[in-house]
Amino acid sequence: MTLEASDLMQKYGNRTVVSGISLQWGAGILGLLGPNGAGKTTLLRTLATVVPPSSGTLRIFGRTVESAATVREARRRIGYVPQQFGFPGGFSVYDFVRYCAWLREVPEKIGHDSTLRAIDQVGLSSRREWKLKKLSGGMQRRCAIAQAIVGDIHLLLLDEPTAGLDPEQRLEFRELMRSLDGISIVVSTHLVEDVASICDEVRVMRDGAFVFGGSVQDLAALGSPGARGDSPVERGYLAAIERPGARA
């Protein structure tokens, strides 16, 4: 199992942001849905080892993440794209991805080839010498994903990856996700249609906890034909977050 979380809790001061989350995920794409403030970003930061959990257990690739050594080992195989991604605008696409490969401790002898392969996977080979500040928003998102998949990556965590993208760019993102074979992916978003298009399973968060877990079809089945929403999945999502006392 790529990712295992048991009773994860995350607190900031006296405020509980993630409350008793348990999750197992292997191959495929998992969609993490929820309204703003549901705790999705905090959960992804915890899974990415950016912050340790306040309590609970996190296992990545079969090893419990509990020390500096196990965090470092896990990070070599985790790709993470936060919602707000800072770019050094003067870097070229190649230099930036190559630098991120170095940070991930990709061996020097394969660093160049790994960088070119990641850039090619996101469709930026023809622009690898372009400065990041010259790229469109969609291309910058592709570059962010390239730095996340360079090296021996087995787990990819994406926080609101289509925010600010136009419809064509969002379609390109979906195609890219479908092309990433052999990588376990967790995508956090509030855009139901993105989840419906690419995800194998869905978890819905509200107030720091899961209130639904299952397939896209299972989520759609929660909605009533006359309820609010423009699609079955959207109606199911609204039903999930509005159910009183629900917890998955």
Side-chain angles (χ1 to χ4, degrees):
M1 189 64 63
T2 303
L3 169 65
E4 299 171 87
S6 178
D7 203 26
L8 283 188
M9 183 171 288
Q10 194 62 268
K11 291 186 175 183
Y12 293 132
N14 294 323
R15 185 168 65 97
T16 299
V17 183
V18 172
S19 176
I21 289 287
S22 293
L23 172 68
Q24 291 187 337
W25 191 245
I29 304 176
L30 174 65
L32 188 59
L33 278 171
N36 292 332
K40 303 188 303 296
T41 291
T42 298
L43 175 58
L44 275 193
R45 283 169 55 83
T46 305
L47 298 179
T49 74
V50 175
V51 290
S54 300
S55 63
T57 303
L58 176 63
R59 291 174 62 84
I60 305 289
F61 315 117
R63 294 200 61 184
T64 302
V65 180
E66 55 186 351
S67 65
T70 52
V71 166
R72 183 173 177 178
E73 179 183 345
R75 287 179 179 176
R76 293 191 188 108
R77 301 170 68 190
I78 295 174
Y80 174 50
V81 180
Q83 183 175 359
Q84 302 297 328
F85 196 91
F87 288 95
F91 274 42
S92 69
V93 170
Y94 174 86
D95 289 340
F96 177 62
V97 178
R98 184 69 180 86
Y99 173 64
C100 292
W102 175 77
L103 290 176
R104 190 168 286 128
E105 300 181 318
V106 175
E108 182 68 26
K109 63 182 180 181
I110 64 171
H112 173 71
D113 288 343
S114 295
T115 298
L116 293 181
R117 183 163 56 251
I119 292 171
D120 181 63
Q121 281 184 278
V122 301
L124 287 179
S125 291
S126 64
R127 292 174 171 83
R128 65 173 181 252
E129 300 303 328
W130 284 33
K131 301 295 184 183
L132 297 181
K133 62 186 176 183
K134 299 293 186 181
L135 299 179
S136 67
M139 289 180 185
Q140 288 182 348
R141 282 286 175 179
R142 285 176 173 268
C143 188
I145 295 171
Q147 66 78 29
I149 63 175
V150 67
D152 187 26
I153 292 303
H154 288 75
L155 175 61
L156 179 60
L157 305 170
L158 304 167
D159 192 3
E160 301 288 356
T162 58
L165 301 187
D166 62 34
E168 182 177 1
Q169 291 168 339
R170 285 172 58 202
L171 287 173
E172 291 173 352
F173 166 79
R174 295 172 191 171
E175 292 168 357
L176 173 59
M177 289 299 99
R178 296 186 190 106
S179 73
L180 296 177
D181 295 328
I183 299 177
S184 299
I185 301 173
V186 181
V187 181
S188 168
T189 183
H190 61 275
L191 297 173
V192 177
E193 56 268 38
D194 286 344
V195 167
S197 297
I198 64 173
C199 292
D200 300 293
E201 286 196 25
V202 186
R203 300 291 183 274
V204 178
M205 284 189 77
R206 183 188 68 197
D207 299 327
F210 289 153
V211 295
F212 170 84
S215 68
V216 173
Q217 292 75 19
D218 292 336
L219 181 59
L222 288 181
S224 302
R228 289 188 303 138
D230 295 327
S231 69
V233 177
E234 195 170 76
R235 289 190 287 270
Y237 163 69
L238 291 172
I241 62 173
E242 291 170 356
R243 287 188 299 176
R247 194 177 180 97

